[in-house]
Amino acid sequence: MISKIKNIFGGSNLSSIKKIVEKINDQESKIKKIKDSQFKKKTEEFKKHLSTLNFEDQNNYLDEILPEAFALVREASVRVNKQRPFDTQLMGAIALHQGKIAEQKTGEGKTLTATLSLYLNSLTGRGCHLVTPNDYLSRHGAGWYGDMYMFLGLSVGVIVEDKSFVYDKSYVNDSFEDKYATHLKPVSRIEAYKCDVTYGTNNEFGFDYLRDNMQNNLKGIVQTNSLGMYGTHNFAIVDEVDSILIDEARTPLIISSQSDQKLSDYLKYSKIAKGLQKKTDFTVEEKHKTANLTEIGLRKVEKILGVDNLYETDFEVVKQVENALKAIALFVRDKDYVVRDNQIKIVDEYTGRILERNRYSGGLHQALEAKEGVEIQPESKTIATTSYQNYFRLYSKLAGMTGTAKTEEEEFFKIYGLEVVEIPTNKPIARKDQTDVVYKTESAKFRAIATEIKEKHSKGQPVLVGTTSVEKSELLSTFLKRLKVPHNVLNAKHHDKEAAVISQAGKKGSVTVATNMAGRGVDIILGGDPSTKSQQEQIKKLGGLYVIGTERHDSRRIDNQLRGRSGRQGDPGESRFFMSLQDDLLRVFGGTQVENLMNRFGVDENTPISAKLIGRAVENAQKKVEGLNFDSRKALVEYDDVINIQREIIYKLRRVFMQLPEFEEVHALIDEDIRFTKDGFDDWFISKIGKKATKKYEEYSKKFDKAWYEFVKIDSLNVINSLWMDHIDVMADLKQGVGLRGHGQLDPLVEYKREGKELFEKLNGLVWSTISNRIENIEVKATPRVQEKQPDLSDVEYNDTTSQEYGVANEAEQVESSTTTKKTKPYVGVEKVGRNDPCPCGSGKKYKHCHGKIS
């Protein structure tokens, strides 16, 4: 497949990129002569011309002005930041502008590279997003280059968890340790998105998209741009693109509300699971992280619960017992999760960071809580979801940056249509990558690692150690303490200090033990940060940064990332991986072959073996895991593609209703195919509802005008929200059950597509029949008020999902539905209201029997 990709694109396209670099360099002497004040004027000229062009012509014009625009940014960087981008950085920026992945090694300056293509693409006014893996990198990138963007006449926003900012040189913010975040001024989410360039995390961009499509007013939508367009996704550069689009892509984005499952049940299931025997009562598949009851185990569970046939009476119990088994047999504390503040916190297997807001779905998180004896939080009901793949495919143009993408080139192309371009380093790599060594036992391996670290530390060479879990980092720390080696431990328990600790990992004599890729995106400067030239030279003479891997990761790419922390910008460095036959990778995927070899040669516990055979065995094992993970992500996106089509239709339908009753005001702000004049909406709506409903609709629209349209909007959106939530659950159940069709020689995906289409057709029919039925049954009591004209409802907000009310006090008339027996106010928004919770309107009824009622 890789060769096919190269044939399609004519290799890496470096020759054509180099020709463009020559044109940029030709502009340098001319740009150097212009005054500081002319930079903003030049930006204004570009923007003004682009505003007169259509979408296609804009893209052609951007290609045309690229040499001059990049030369302009390079000179701005020299004047403001004292940094002149290398030609290799220009090459990376060109690849980004072309919608490709620029693979640049660690320390090659990806953050500066991105500014060139962000500047160029922001000139259209449609917005540009720089996506990062964590809040620190978002704040740091925007803060570091904020002055340069302002010098060029661009505005910069930042989107992080629960907060948003704009860069403002006149504002002083002392709330961050990062000195570059000093001038980040808190603003509304909308203001941050309206900036020319917006930095933010992948989670926040994705969740804002979902939240936008749960709003009841266009004014509540935050993903806009400087042109005022709602929900537009123009251009995004994904930093650490492999981490975000590959590693995290197996986990969908989900917004949930609480379900009505009894919390005591999880303790019961956990107790049952703890009494079952592995192999006899249940089987475990480590490769796929599954645990399944055997026939004997199922009979035991049925006997305990006093049930004849669980599969017939309550299959959900089987699912929850197997969740409890997974929690006990497959999820390891301080590796897969940590217990903090009486809560289970998931640890990202690739970065070692705690995923603060993430929870396992389907009852698994509750099973872990029951296992550890912490407070059990209610299981959630999905009300909005999408995959990372389908969110990022919303962008008209997508690009990415990373130091390691080539091993996943096939996946990037197949799923995202992204080509990987290997950008040469500015200086040759001087790092020495030593041959791996393998020990029989884990304890022997860690003794050897600790001894190696002590030796390097004694001469002053800085050492960075990468571990695969919190547990392993603390185990190594114990060995180092015995040898009295001073060191820093950085893992999921201390991730808040990550950047500060990693930035000093290049100091003389420093020893840093970090979980996997902690601090990814932060440069490790020899001698520390800041450091003098003499301090840097001293570390270089000692051999540079020595990187140790305590075991091979499932992915070759993660190993390459760890190695890449050493040897930046031509610096010397060294790396080596230590393994044992008890490591997960070798134990599950091929350690037997190596163990037999060691036994044949009589190798004792403390003697390592180093041979090409081991390298092949490890690489084969990694390829197997990478293949399984690719299949998992591919399956996720294939199944999500089905519901993604449905999601787009539902979200578009919501946008139609969201423009009510302000037809003229929003006419230029939403997609062409869902804009309506008042008459156009009436014709469209009437074509969807029954005759009785039409008669009442026409009567009330003439009589109450804006107040009526507002009511239709709120009521229709509540119907759509409620039915869509139920449909998501039905599709999730279908996805879970359709896998069994494979036993009947049927393709599960084909069956999912077929049945999913039928279910969606039913949903569409139910939406309109429900809306029609509700309009038929509405009786309006008019309470006219003396005023010359109806009030402007554009200031009435309905997007506060915790306490929203229908603002009848501001209406010309009061509209009341005959479907309620008690005078109540229609409730807007569903994010935090369970179907069995009391209705927020105050009626005293459950939500599903009041304003959540759908039939």
Side-chain angles (χ1 to χ4, degrees):
M1 179 63 195
I2 301 298
S3 60
K4 289 182 180 178
I5 293 171
K6 288 183 176 178
N7 288 336
I8 290 170
F9 290 102
S12 63
N13 265 340
L14 282 181
S15 57
S16 61
I17 287 175
K18 286 177 181 176
K19 289 178 181 177
I20 300 174
V21 170
E22 290 174 7
K23 291 180 181 179
I24 298 168
N25 290 334
D26 289 342
Q27 294 278 336
E28 188 167 22
S29 58
K30 181 184 78 173
I31 298 297
K32 277 189 172 297
K33 296 174 183 177
I34 68 174
K35 297 177 181 178
D36 289 359
S37 60
Q38 290 180 290
F39 281 77
K40 287 183 181 179
K41 289 181 180 178
K42 194 64 185 174
T43 297
E44 289 170 7
E45 288 175 18
F46 287 145
K47 283 186 172 183
K48 187 175 180 180
H49 183 72
L50 280 159
S51 67
T52 66
L53 305 176
N54 61 35
F55 184 81
E56 186 178 345
D57 289 340
Q58 281 185 341
N59 289 330
N60 293 334
Y61 183 66
L62 291 180
D63 292 340
E64 182 184 323
I65 64 171
L66 185 152
E68 185 179 6
F70 276 23
L72 204 68
V73 178
R74 178 162 65 183
E75 183 60 23
S77 179
V78 170
R79 297 189 191 188
V80 178
N81 285 50
K82 313 303 179 190
Q83 293 178 311
R84 182 183 180 277
F86 308 127
D87 282 2
T88 52
Q89 287 172 300
L90 298 180
M91 292 170 68
I94 293 164
L96 295 176
H97 169 67
Q98 292 174 347
K100 298 173 184 176
I101 292 173
E103 183 182 82
Q104 293 176 281
K105 301 302 179 188
T106 300
E108 290 296 304
K110 291 188 287 291
T111 312
L112 177 55
T113 297
T115 62
L116 294 120
S117 46
L118 287 171
Y119 169 78
L120 178 63
N121 284 272
S122 72
L123 297 173
T124 63
R126 294 198 303 271
C128 291
H129 298 165
L130 192 286
V131 187
T132 73
N134 59 61
D135 289 356
Y136 168 80
L137 291 175
S138 293
R139 295 193 304 263
H140 186 78
W144 194 354
Y145 290 108
D147 279 354
M148 188 187 78
Y149 284 122
M150 290 186 72
F151 184 81
L152 287 161
L154 299 184
S155 56
V156 188
V158 180
I159 301 292
V160 293
E161 185 178 346
D162 299 327
K163 295 176 183 176
S164 42
F165 309 90
V166 294
Y167 186 86
D168 184 343
K169 186 68 172 177
S170 64
Y171 182 84
V172 178
N173 189 338
D174 296 323
S175 61
F176 299 118
E177 290 183 13
D178 180 13
K179 62 184 179 181
Y180 295 106
T182 305
H183 302 299
L184 294 183
K185 178 182 178 181
V187 294
S188 69
R189 212 70 158 178
I190 293 176
E191 287 180 81
Y193 273 112
K194 282 188 175 179
C195 290
D196 296 299
V197 176
T198 304
Y199 286 72
T201 62
N202 54 311
N203 284 337
E204 291 308 304
F205 281 124
F207 281 127
D208 281 343
Y209 164 71
L210 291 177
R211 286 188 284 257
D212 277 354
N213 286 286
M214 294 164 60
Q215 298 297 332
N216 284 356
N217 271 319
L218 286 170
K219 285 189 173 181
I221 292 175
V222 299
Q223 286 193 340
T224 67
N225 59 40
S226 60
L227 297 178
M229 293 293 293
Y230 291 124
T232 53
H233 294 83
N234 175 44
F235 175 57
I237 298 175
V238 182
D239 191 12
E240 308 297 358
V241 66
D242 52 326
S243 174
I244 292 173
L245 297 191
I246 300 289
D247 298 337
E248 296 195 32
R250 282 186 290 171
T251 306
L253 291 157
I254 299 173
I255 293 179
S256 308
S257 64
Q258 293 181 359
S259 75
D260 54 3
Q261 176 79 35
K262 288 182 181 178
L263 300 184
S264 58
D265 286 349
Y266 298 109
L267 290 171
K268 179 171 66 177
Y269 302 142
S270 186
K271 186 177 179 181
I272 290 172
K274 287 174 182 176
L276 298 177
Q277 300 297 315
K278 190 175 179 180
K279 292 185 180 178
T280 305
D281 299 327
F282 67 95
T283 58
V284 170
E285 179 56 73
E286 288 190 64
K287 292 179 184 178
H288 300 95
K289 277 211 166 186
T290 59
N292 301 105
L293 287 167
T294 62
E295 193 69 24
I296 294 171
L298 184 62
R299 298 289 87 85
K300 277 189 181 180
V301 174
E302 288 172 342
K303 187 176 180 180
I304 293 169
L305 296 174
V307 177
D308 289 335
N309 191 322
L310 267 177
Y311 277 96
E312 286 184 5
T313 55
D314 196 345
F315 181 70
E316 182 67 17
V317 173
V318 178
K319 173 189 163 188
Q320 296 300 354
V321 171
E322 290 183 342
N323 268 339
L325 290 170
K326 283 172 66 176
I328 293 165
L330 288 164
F331 285 77
V332 180
R333 181 170 176 166
D334 287 341
K335 179 183 177 184
D336 301 299
Y337 65 91
V338 296
V339 178
R340 179 188 289 178
D341 302 327
N342 200 34
Q343 293 180 27
I344 299 294
K345 303 279 190 178
I346 299 173
V347 175
D348 187 318
E349 67 172 302
Y350 294 101
T351 66
R353 297 188 182 99
I354 283 182
L355 303 174
E356 286 290 349
R357 297 197 299 171
N358 289 31
R359 289 177 64 84
Y360 293 115
S361 60
L364 178 57
H365 209 94
Q366 287 72 21
L368 288 168
E369 290 167 333
K371 169 191 172 183
E372 296 293 349
V374 301
E375 182 182 355
I376 298 176
Q377 303 292 329
E379 195 175 338
S380 56
K381 175 184 175 67
T382 300
I383 57 179
T385 179
T386 189
S387 64
Y388 278 112
Q389 290 95 328
N390 276 319
Y391 172 70
F392 283 108
R393 291 196 296 193
L394 288 171
Y395 285 89
S396 302
K397 183 162 67 176
L398 183 65
M401 308 184 294
T402 182
T404 47
K406 209 64 181 175
T407 55
E408 260 71 5
E409 183 175 29
E410 180 180 356
E411 182 166 353
F412 280 125
F413 183 70
K414 278 187 174 180
I415 293 180
Y416 302 99
L418 290 169
E419 179 195 359
V420 176
V421 180
E422 290 181 276
I423 306 298
T425 56
N426 184 50
K427 295 179 180 178
I429 295 175
R431 185 186 65 244
K432 296 177 182 177
D433 296 327
Q434 306 290 2
T435 307
D436 298 355
V437 289
V438 181
Y439 289 81
K440 265 192 172 182
T441 65
E442 185 177 66
S443 58
K445 177 184 73 174
F446 277 109
R447 281 196 298 271
I449 292 172
T451 301
E452 180 89 346
I453 292 171
K454 184 176 181 179
E455 180 189 329
K456 299 295 181 181
H457 170 71
S458 64
K459 69 175 187 176
Q461 185 176 8
V463 180
L464 173 66
V465 188
T467 68
T468 57
S469 69
V470 177
E471 178 189 27
K472 297 295 169 64
S473 65
E474 293 182 342
L475 176 61
L476 178 57
S477 178
T478 303
F479 279 91
L480 290 173
K481 285 174 183 176
R482 288 177 190 166
L483 296 177
K484 297 181 180 180
V485 176
H487 60 282
N488 286 311
V489 178
L490 183 60
N491 55 38
K493 293 184 176 179
H494 311 289
H495 72 293
D496 53 325
K497 301 173 183 175
E498 179 178 298
V501 174
I502 283 291
S503 66
Q504 302 306 323
K507 267 189 174 181
K508 183 180 180 181
S510 71
V511 175
T512 308
V513 180
T515 309
N516 272 334
M517 290 313 298
R520 185 174 175 181
V522 179
D523 273 347
I524 299 176
I525 299 170
L526 299 186
D529 185 14
S531 63
T532 64
K533 192 166 184 179
S534 62
Q535 288 172 326
Q536 291 178 11
E537 289 302 319
Q538 187 179 22
I539 301 300
K540 287 179 182 179
K541 287 178 182 177
L542 292 170
L545 179 67
Y546 183 32
V547 170
I548 293 176
T550 59
E551 62 186 274
R552 285 286 193 171
H553 196 274
D554 289 352
S555 168
R556 291 169 293 167
R557 180 170 40 81
I558 305 298
D559 291 341
N560 291 338
Q561 287 165 2
L562 181 59
R563 284 194 195 279
R565 307 312 298 273
S566 175
R568 63 184 293 280
Q569 282 294 320
D571 289 342
E574 188 179 356
S575 72
R576 168 163 270 166
F577 281 87
F578 289 71
M579 291 181 287
S580 84
L581 297 182
Q582 294 176 333
D583 293 350
D584 289 344
L585 184 69
L586 283 176
R587 182 175 54 80
V588 177
F589 286 98
T592 305
Q593 186 181 13
V594 180
E595 186 174 16
N596 291 339
L597 182 69
M598 295 178 88
N599 290 335
R600 191 185 310 161
F601 289 101
V603 179
D604 64 33
E605 181 179 308
N606 295 309
T607 303
I609 184 171
S610 176
K612 290 182 178 180
L613 174 64
I614 296 171
R616 286 199 300 270
V618 169
E619 187 169 348
N620 287 336
Q622 288 176 317
K623 285 179 179 178
K624 286 180 185 176
V625 179
E626 288 168 359
L628 290 171
N629 290 341
F630 178 29
D631 291 342
S632 171
R633 290 186 294 266
K634 187 169 177 285
L636 171 68
V637 76
E638 284 175 342
Y639 279 89
D640 191 61
D641 280 344
V642 177
I643 201 166
N644 189 54
I645 295 168
Q646 302 174 1
R647 179 167 47 235
E648 288 177 355
I649 293 170
I650 289 294
Y651 285 177
K652 188 169 285 189
L653 180 62
R654 291 187 92 263
R655 294 286 172 100
V656 171
F657 282 105
M658 285 169 71
Q659 67 184 298
L660 302 180
E662 312 299 332
F663 298 103
E664 288 75 22
E665 284 84 343
V666 302
H667 184 70
L669 300 178
I670 54 180
D671 295 340
E672 189 68 50
D673 58 345
I674 56 175
R675 296 177 192 167
F676 281 104
T677 60
K678 186 174 178 180
D679 291 340
F681 178 83
D682 287 340
D683 292 341
W684 173 83
F685 191 83
I686 287 170
S687 70
K688 305 285 186 181
I689 58 177
K691 290 181 179 179
K692 289 183 180 179
T694 296
K695 184 178 179 182
K696 193 163 284 189
Y697 177 86
E698 290 178 332
E699 176 190 344
Y700 289 165
S701 60
K702 290 174 184 175
K703 192 172 183 181
F704 302 120
D705 195 35
K706 277 195 172 184
W708 170 249
Y709 286 111
E710 188 71 18
F711 181 83
V712 170
K713 174 176 79 171
I714 300 300
D715 207 50
S716 299
L717 287 173
N718 278 336
V719 168
I720 295 168
N721 292 343
S722 185
L723 290 172
W724 176 241
M725 284 169 58
D726 290 341
H727 181 74
I728 290 173
D729 281 349
V730 171
M731 292 295 287
D733 290 340
L734 174 62
K735 181 181 176 183
Q736 186 173 354
V738 81
L740 299 174
R741 310 281 177 88
H743 299 302
Q745 307 302 312
L746 295 172
D747 185 329
L749 180 60
V750 171
E751 291 296 294
Y752 181 75
K753 288 178 178 179
R754 181 182 61 78
E755 291 197 27
K757 182 181 179 183
E758 291 174 1
L759 287 168
F760 188 68
E761 287 172 353
K762 289 179 182 178
L763 169 69
N764 192 48
L766 186 57
V767 165
W768 285 110
S769 64
T770 305
I771 290 173
S772 182
N773 184 56
R774 289 173 75 88
I775 289 176
E776 274 184 41
N777 292 303
I778 284 173
E779 294 297 333
V780 175
K781 298 174 184 177
T783 310
R785 293 192 301 180
V786 179
Q787 65 182 54
E788 295 179 5
K789 62 178 182 178
Q790 292 198 355
D792 178 7
L793 298 184
S794 61
D795 292 330
V796 180
E797 296 290 343
Y798 298 96
N799 59 309
D800 178 0
T801 57
T802 58
S803 61
Q804 293 164 0
E805 295 182 347
Y806 187 55
V808 293
N810 294 322
E811 309 297 340
E813 269 68 38
Q814 180 173 330
V815 180
E816 190 175 313
S817 169
S818 64
T819 58
T820 59
T821 58
K822 188 175 179 181
K823 184 182 286 188
T824 60
K825 300 173 183 179
Y827 178 74
V828 184
V830 295
E831 183 176 348
K832 297 183 181 178
V833 184
R835 303 282 290 145
N836 292 300
D837 291 344
C839 188
C841 72
S843 67
K845 295 182 179 182
K846 287 187 177 182
Y847 178 67
K848 66 183 180 183
H849 295 312
C850 192
H851 283 98
K853 191 173 182 181
I854 58 177
S855 60

